[in-house]
Amino acid sequence: MLSARSVFQEILDDDESFRLFCSIAASGESQGGWENGRIAALVPAGERAMTGKITRHGADEDKHGRIFRALLRKRGLDPVDVPPETDYTMLLERRGIGLAHEKLRGAEPLTERDIVAYLAHSRVTEQRAAEQMRLLRRYFADDPDIGRAVRMISDDEDNHLAYCHEELLRLAGAGYGRMIQALLRESARAEIRVYRRVSLAVMDHMGRLLGWPRAKGALLAAGIHGVYGYEAAGGWRRMVSLRMPERRNALGGPATTAAEFA
């Protein structure tokens, strides 16, 4: 029977598909670590109190990249180049979502509006990350090979999402409410399109690696289009709501380590 769990299990059981899965994940997390590191270095004077939290966010993302690479090493596998059509971060940047890498490579301090844009973009993408990791946690939390990694990353993603909610609510109270809502809507609508595109590309690559029959590939593609249809019809709104999280000051301390993986 075809289910999300059976598809994930098939990908994890095969060395080549597992290698692609971990390579894509590691690349995206490492990119997020670099972006947050540069944002922390360029924080404007009025938001210096956030520097530690942004640094922690980046350190967590770097840690996740190391964890995925360590999972590859554990199976004696090397990373592979990430196909550009599966590069979620790059495709979002091309749509103008988030802060441009050209700006982050420079030395000019960011503005408070840049920080608002960073947090709004993160609110949307961290929603997706948290949901994906909760799904993996539901199925594989007790898996002897990846369970510990899944639990650790899932906890971090929940912290990142809580941090975005709390900081955006603070900034909304400081007069950025309309800007935040506009950026959240723009980011969410772009993200659901990019997520569909990347999901289809990843499933296409996995199908070729695993030798899926055409009917199975078509069924999975239909499922991806179905998710997009739901999100385009209104499901995207879950990505733009703001509420004070139960986890307050979620990134207020030092990053947890992953010595057992790295």
Side-chain angles (χ1 to χ4, degrees):
M1 182 173 129
L2 190 60
S3 65
R5 179 169 189 160
S6 68
V7 171
F8 275 124
Q9 190 68 63
E10 194 173 354
I11 290 169
L12 297 177
D13 286 345
D14 180 85
D15 280 351
E16 289 306 310
S17 56
F18 182 76
R19 184 158 75 143
L20 179 60
F21 172 80
C22 287
S23 297
I24 292 171
S27 175
E29 297 286 356
S30 296
Q31 185 65 48
W34 176 83
E35 289 176 356
N36 279 277
R38 291 303 303 150
I39 292 167
L42 300 173
V43 171
E47 293 296 336
R48 289 281 165 76
M50 281 189 62
T51 301
K53 295 178 182 180
I54 300 171
T55 300
R56 161 77 184 275
H57 191 180
D60 283 347
E61 304 286 8
D62 282 335
K63 177 184 68 180
H64 300 167
R66 293 196 304 274
I67 288 173
F68 282 113
R69 288 190 291 273
L71 290 173
L72 287 174
R73 288 196 301 273
K74 187 176 179 180
R75 281 175 58 166
L77 302 171
D78 293 322
V80 295
D81 292 336
V82 174
E85 64 272 19
T86 69
D87 193 329
Y88 173 81
T89 303
M90 179 190 70
L91 291 171
L92 281 173
E93 186 194 1
R94 285 181 178 174
R95 286 184 175 268
I97 303 303
L99 300 182
H101 286 185
E102 182 178 356
K103 176 177 287 190
L104 295 182
R105 292 188 186 99
E108 188 74 20
L110 300 174
T111 66
E112 291 196 2
R113 287 178 172 267
D114 288 331
I115 295 299
V116 172
Y118 147 69
L119 285 167
H121 168 246
S122 296
R123 157 73 183 95
V124 170
T125 56
E126 293 296 344
Q127 177 81 36
R128 181 73 72 186
E131 289 173 353
Q132 289 182 319
M133 291 312 303
R134 286 173 202 154
L135 183 65
L136 286 174
R137 187 169 190 157
R138 184 192 312 165
Y139 297 143
F140 300 108
D142 297 323
D143 185 273
D145 294 322
I146 68 167
R148 187 181 296 177
V150 165
R151 293 193 304 271
M152 178 178 287
I153 296 172
S154 181
D155 282 342
D156 287 345
E157 300 296 4
D158 286 344
N159 282 338
H160 299 168
L161 186 56
Y163 148 75
C164 291
H165 275 273
E166 188 171 8
E167 294 298 331
L168 284 169
L169 285 169
R170 176 182 64 81
L171 288 164
Y176 289 100
R178 288 187 179 180
M179 178 184 177
I180 288 168
Q181 282 303 314
L183 285 169
L184 285 172
R185 291 190 184 98
E186 178 187 3
S187 296
R189 287 170 173 157
E191 194 279 343
I192 65 172
R193 292 191 293 271
V194 168
Y195 181 70
R196 175 181 59 171
R197 178 177 173 181
V198 168
S199 296
L200 289 168
V202 170
M203 284 300 107
D204 182 62
H205 281 277
M206 294 300 178
R208 282 188 271 116
L209 289 172
L210 294 166
W212 286 342
R214 184 174 298 178
K216 182 173 182 176
L219 187 59
L220 289 169
I224 292 168
H225 285 296
V227 168
Y228 173 77
Y230 156 75
E231 293 189 331
W236 61 270
R237 289 186 174 87
R238 76 189 189 285
M239 296 177 161
V240 305
S241 62
L242 293 175
R243 64 186 182 280
M244 190 56 69
E246 292 183 10
R247 300 186 185 194
R248 302 292 294 274
N249 197 31
L251 298 187
T256 57
T257 61
E260 64 268 42
F261 300 105

